[in-house]
Amino acid sequence: MKGIITTQEIRLAHPGMCDCATDLYYTRFANRLFDSLRGFVGKDLPDKNFTHVLARKLTSYFEDIVADMGVWHSFSDLCMKLYGYPVPMYHADKEYYPDEPSLDAVRYLVWDVANELFPDRIFETDRLLQEMGLEAYHQLSDAFEQAPINEDAKKVMDDMLHYAAGGFNELRNVLDWVLAGCYITSGTWLNKLLAEKAREINSVSFFDGMSPSMKQYFAVTNIKFYDRVGPLALKSYEWLRSLAQTVGHQELATLLEQVKVLKMDTYKYTPDDGESLTLENTHGQTIKVSRKELNLDPEVVKQHNGCVAGFVFYKDEWRLNGLVVPLQQSDEDFEEAKRSQADIPLPGTEIMTAKMLLEQTGNRRILYFKDVDEMKTFLQEKLNYPGSIFEGSPLANMKLPCMFIDTVDETNPQFFAQNLEQYIKDPDNPYYDAKKAKEDAVNILWNADSATSNMVNYLIDHEMLPDAEQHYAFSQHSTHQQRLADMNFYMRYNRRSRY
């Protein structure tokens, strides 16, 4: 066992990666757990890295609940708030306490690691994962009463949350731990998301002159406030707010509840000698930002009348999030940039709202078409769409198209999907195919390209995806309501920043 899981690996999950007096105990515990679990590895599970990652994560969970640090407790509280159940995917515990070993919690963590490393594994029919979860649970339960409390990490956690309430830069530093250290929210997804962000940045000429390190800095600062992360698809500061509430840091929780975020946008201002600048963005929002915050030379401010930047409102002031690029623009250029925003109607026009669409569809939220021609006729005759809208549009090549009216998204109340009609069990849908749905309906949940989260949640809420619910991705020992909740969780877990 020697050297399989190192003390340094155990410290990675600690707040601030701190050294603790209990590190040797939990390193030994992790290796005993690993040694036990690797006995399950065979031809069905050839990747030994699975048991390595699993033993580390279960040890972090164990260390957390023994010391009552609040990480798992916070996750469990969020699940209760969202779904009415303390653990997603598993609901067998007769008694459940968030700060004691739970078979449901352990089995969820086994599923979590398996799902991340082997997305095609299905937990309910996988006896191997069930047996590994039961073995791990017995080991945690047997050691629980004698395990030492990690007072060091608990104090550092307390200090870290106090520190995050100190200011914006302090908050951003703490969010590094949420993204890369916290055992609930960290994982291989971060590297995938960073790679995706890098591709996006490299495709925009605006960033051509930026060094690789600055591009990475820009990507990370954006992820911290703009992207949904972790298994519940929350913004990283939203997760931190829940943790703060769970462990009694109400000051920080209140500050994080008041956070507002403005993504990178084009702003204009009138140069003056005041201590702050009044910035107006292309969405018509006006904010005041101190010159000190922008960190621009006074001459640079005078020589320009705008900038490209993103901002976060924290502790009663707007703070620059990432980079600011000075910009000189004419009033005409700025107005053109405003007109290009999807949520701002052109002069003399108005945005088609969900209410307006429902008036034309007889309050039907989903409309099904046998082919593109039928959809085109409907859009032209009922909604007055011009025929030119299909020219060069993906709509022109859709197979088995349907239209969903989204009453949540105020900017884009229409969503057009294809090849989903076969999976939707709706009395108004003549194209439902029970055989096809039984095989593939579950794919709608994780595939963000096939349907928006708002559309899929509508289908779940109205019980139009019974075949996905009955799929062996979900426990048939659970109640109907538990499975509906788990379907939404499965979406959050797999879609994350696209939820």
Side-chain angles (χ1 to χ4, degrees):
M1 293 192 300
K2 185 177 179 181
I4 296 298
I5 296 177
T6 67
T7 299
Q8 187 59 36
E9 288 179 287
I10 297 302
R11 291 171 180 162
L12 288 174
H14 295 168
M17 295 187 294
C18 60
D19 300 350
C20 304
T22 58
D23 285 348
L24 182 59
Y25 172 88
Y26 285 104
T27 302
R28 288 174 173 171
F29 179 85
N31 280 293
R32 286 198 304 272
L33 192 57
F34 170 78
D35 196 46
S36 175
L37 295 178
R38 68 177 176 170
F40 291 90
V41 175
K43 62 180 181 180
D44 294 330
L45 194 67
D47 188 351
K48 291 181 173 60
N49 184 54
F50 170 71
T51 45
H52 188 105
V53 174
L54 177 58
R56 280 177 49 194
K57 178 163 284 197
L58 288 170
T59 300
S60 295
Y61 160 75
F62 187 52
E63 194 172 11
D64 169 27
I65 62 172
V66 169
D68 194 15
M69 280 188 272
V71 175
W72 176 263
H73 198 155
S74 177
F75 176 67
S76 185
D77 286 351
L78 280 166
C79 291
M80 281 294 296
K81 183 178 180 180
L82 287 168
Y83 304 122
Y85 307 105
V87 181
M89 308 300 283
Y90 294 89
H91 312 285
D93 280 346
K94 294 181 179 178
E95 291 186 345
Y96 172 80
Y97 303 97
D99 296 319
E100 294 181 10
S102 154
L103 177 59
D104 285 350
V106 170
R107 289 201 63 200
Y108 163 75
L109 292 169
V110 175
W111 175 88
D112 173 51
V113 176
N115 202 55
E116 186 169 17
L117 297 181
F118 309 102
D120 56 339
R121 293 196 80 94
I122 303 298
F123 86 97
E124 179 59 22
T125 58
D126 199 325
R127 183 178 176 184
L128 172 66
L129 298 188
Q130 289 187 22
E131 292 177 348
M132 291 181 79
L134 192 61
E135 170 66 22
Y137 169 70
H138 287 321
Q139 292 210 31
L140 268 63
S141 295
D142 291 345
F144 183 66
E145 295 297 335
Q146 292 77 37
I149 297 173
N150 189 342
E151 299 285 3
D152 297 330
K154 189 171 183 178
K155 183 180 184 306
V156 174
M157 176 77 79
D158 190 63
D159 292 342
M160 181 183 74
L161 296 176
H162 275 301
Y163 175 74
F168 183 61
N169 291 328
E170 291 84 349
L171 171 62
R172 289 199 297 185
N173 289 339
V174 171
L175 292 181
D176 285 332
W177 171 77
V178 173
L179 295 178
C182 176
Y183 73 90
I184 290 292
T185 51
S186 63
T188 57
W189 63 268
L190 181 58
N191 291 332
K192 296 175 183 176
L193 183 56
L194 283 170
E196 181 182 316
K197 294 290 182 184
R199 288 192 294 270
E200 291 176 1
I201 290 173
N202 289 333
S203 67
V204 179
S205 59
F206 178 83
F207 298 103
D208 285 348
M210 191 181 294
S211 67
S213 61
M214 288 303 292
K215 288 180 179 179
Q216 184 173 15
Y217 169 75
F218 174 79
V220 172
T221 55
N222 276 260
I223 289 172
K224 288 177 182 179
F225 290 97
Y226 306 148
D227 286 276
R228 295 177 180 270
V229 303
L232 290 172
L234 298 173
K235 307 287 179 65
S236 56
Y237 64 88
E238 292 175 330
W239 161 252
L240 189 66
R241 182 180 72 199
S242 176
L243 177 59
Q245 288 174 328
T246 298
V247 298
H249 280 257
Q250 193 53 49
E251 178 191 2
L252 176 60
T254 300
L255 288 172
L256 292 172
E257 191 173 1
Q258 297 168 353
V259 164
K260 300 174 186 175
V261 176
L262 292 175
K263 292 185 179 181
M264 178 166 273
D265 200 348
T266 299
Y267 291 80
K268 77 169 185 176
Y269 63 83
T270 301
D272 58 38
D273 296 323
E275 294 184 359
S276 63
L277 288 175
T278 299
L279 306 178
E280 179 190 354
N281 66 20
T282 60
H283 291 79
Q285 184 163 355
T286 299
I287 62 174
K288 278 194 173 185
V289 182
S290 71
R291 288 172 176 267
K292 181 179 179 181
E293 178 63 23
L294 292 173
N295 195 29
L296 293 175
D297 185 275
E299 288 302 311
V300 172
V301 174
K302 289 181 180 179
Q303 292 167 7
H304 298 82
N305 65 354
C307 63
V308 176
F311 296 95
V312 173
F313 186 77
Y314 186 62
K315 295 197 74 172
D316 298 322
E317 61 178 324
W318 286 101
R319 302 297 301 268
L320 175 68
N321 186 42
L323 308 172
V324 58
V325 179
L327 190 67
Q328 180 65 39
Q329 57 191 333
S330 68
D331 289 343
E332 183 178 338
D333 288 340
F334 185 72
E335 290 303 316
E336 177 59 33
K338 288 178 67 173
R339 287 193 292 270
S340 68
Q341 303 305 317
D343 56 346
I344 300 177
L346 295 171
T349 65
E350 60 180 341
I351 295 176
M352 181 75 78
T353 65
K355 182 179 179 181
M356 295 163 60
L357 290 167
L358 290 171
E359 289 174 352
Q360 299 300 317
T361 65
N363 287 318
R364 289 176 59 190
R365 295 282 301 277
I366 307 179
L367 289 92
Y368 308 94
F369 307 100
K370 65 179 181 181
D371 53 32
V372 170
D373 289 338
E374 186 178 42
M375 181 173 69
K376 184 175 180 180
T377 299
F378 174 86
L379 293 177
Q380 289 177 318
E381 293 182 357
K382 283 283 189 179
L383 303 182
N384 297 318
Y385 271 50
S388 60
I389 198 169
F390 282 84
E391 296 175 7
S393 169
L395 294 178
N397 300 310
M398 280 191 164
K399 298 178 180 179
L400 286 176
C402 65
M403 182 180 80
F404 172 66
I405 300 177
D406 192 333
T407 59
V408 177
D409 191 332
E410 297 179 358
T411 303
N412 297 302
Q414 280 176 289
F415 177 74
F416 295 93
Q418 65 172 334
N419 293 326
L420 297 189
E421 295 179 330
Q422 297 162 303
Y423 311 141
I424 301 173
K425 192 171 185 179
D426 177 359
D428 293 330
N429 177 18
Y431 309 109
Y432 169 69
D433 184 329
K435 182 179 179 181
K436 184 75 173 172
K438 185 177 181 179
E439 296 174 354
D440 299 326
V442 73
N443 296 337
I444 297 178
L445 302 178
W446 62 262
N447 187 355
D449 291 323
S450 66
T452 65
S453 296
N454 288 342
M455 178 178 180
V456 180
N457 278 325
Y458 175 83
L459 296 174
I460 293 173
D461 292 343
H462 290 77
E463 304 193 19
M464 294 182 183
L465 295 177
D467 302 283
E469 180 189 343
Q470 293 161 15
H471 194 273
Y472 50 87
F474 305 103
S475 173
Q476 299 308 303
H477 300 297
S478 298
T479 67
H480 171 58
Q481 290 303 319
Q482 287 169 340
R483 287 195 299 272
L484 292 181
D486 289 338
M487 288 167 71
N488 175 269
F489 172 78
Y490 191 75
M491 285 176 62
R492 289 175 180 269
Y493 184 96
N494 287 285
R495 295 186 177 212
R496 304 214 176 189
S497 61
R498 300 185 67 186
Y499 178 77

